[in-house]
Amino acid sequence: MKKKLIAGNWKMNGGLASNEALLNGLLAGLQQAPACDVALAVPAPYFAQVSAKVAGSAIALAAQDVSAHASGAYTGETSSVMLQDFGVRYALVGHSERRQYHGESDGVVAEKARQALAAGITPVVCVGETLQEREAGQTEAVVKRQLAAVIHVNGHCISEIVVAYEPVWAIGTGRTATPEQAQQVHAVLRAQLAAASAHADRIRIVYGGSMNAANAAELLAQPDIDGGLVGGASLKAEDFLKIIAAAR
Ligand code: PEP
């Protein structure tokens, strides 16, 4: 059976001192190996700090984004090979905040996934509908379109990705999808992966959107929910540890 994945997304939060304290709390709570895989997507300036701190622990380093290009005149961007230098294991691609505030298209997200895979980094491909799209009955069509772009560009590598279903209306809002709503979409994504890969059952599909210490167990108990992508609750060691403990 595949291990679940609990990935924290610190977003643009943190600082040298507060990271140190948060990581100390997490490492103290993870002295016994967790039943799931654990990752932290941290701001790029802290890769060196976090990578040194989590070395030898159960925590893997993740990036919040990666460039769609290999190298060159792309000011401000970070290539997958640069991530590799810091031992980055996963990279979020297509987070809704990147799609919304940076205009990332499905095509750009697919290229980012391709760059990550080429460097041996697992892309965590984020898909999800807005509230307006859900209310218009477009949820399935939207997530399938977003995932199809990645499958189209990355064909045979598709079994190496993680998919994160993150309904935009649930991110940072305190409004969580019910376990049934989330499972329904995860089943749609699983079927889409199965049509593209013989190894779909080993691809992890994680849920993100106001997952917290109180609702994690019920979400993680759904048959097609293979973990969580956790924003706000990953900034508090105690809460994040509870979510990790719920993932078995
Ligand atoms: C996220 O940023 O991916 C996320 C799910 O955030 P939150 O848990 O705060 O909703």
Side-chain angles (χ1 to χ4, degrees), residues 15 17-18 39 44 60 67 72 89-90 102-103 112 118 123 129 134 139 141 145 154 167 210 215 229 243:
S18 63
S67 178
R89 168 86 183 73
Y90 302 91
H102 300 270
K112 290 185 171 205
E129 81 287 3
R134 172 162 282 267
T139 298
R145 187 203 73 224
N154 294 282
S210 299
N215 62 25
L229 180 52
I243 297 171

Side-chain angles (χ1 to χ4, degrees), residues 162-179:
V162 170
V163 178
Y165 169 54
E166 298 210 300
V168 178
W169 49 271
I171 297 179
T173 59
R175 197 177 154 189
T176 318
T178 64

Side-chain angles (χ1 to χ4, degrees), residues 20-110:
E20 181 80 10
L22 177 52
L23 291 167
N24 283 342
L26 291 174
L27 293 171
L30 290 175
Q31 275 169 2
Q32 275 195 324
C36 62
D37 289 334
V38 178
L40 289 177
V42 309
Y46 300 124
F47 284 160
Q49 179 196 21
V50 178
S51 120
K53 193 82 189 166
V54 302
S57 81
I59 300 175
L61 184 60
Q64 297 177 8
D65 185 32
V66 61
S67 178
H69 307 282
S71 67
Y74 300 102
T75 302
E77 300 215 3
T78 307
S79 75
S80 58
V81 172
M82 293 171 183
L83 300 184
Q84 216 179 25
D85 274 345
F86 288 92
V88 168
R89 168 86 183 73
Y90 302 91
L92 308 186
V93 297
H95 190 282
S96 66
E97 288 150 17
R98 303 283 324 166
R99 292 181 191 261
Q100 190 180 346
Y101 305 135
H102 300 270
E104 288 186 8
S105 65
D106 294 340
V108 166
V109 174

Side-chain angles (χ1 to χ4, degrees), residues 122-178:
T122 301
V124 178
V125 179
C126 303
V127 300
E129 81 287 3
T130 62
L131 187 57
Q132 202 184 15
E133 288 164 340
R134 172 162 282 267
E135 287 173 350
Q138 294 167 348
T139 298
E140 204 172 301
V142 168
V143 298
K144 282 169 90 171
R145 187 203 73 224
Q146 292 172 331
L147 182 57
V150 175
I151 290 175
H152 176 70
V153 171
N154 294 282
H156 66 282
C157 295
I158 205 69
S159 60
E160 309 302 321
I161 70 172
V162 170
V163 178
Y165 169 54
E166 298 210 300
V168 178
W169 49 271
I171 297 179
T173 59
R175 197 177 154 189
T176 318
T178 64

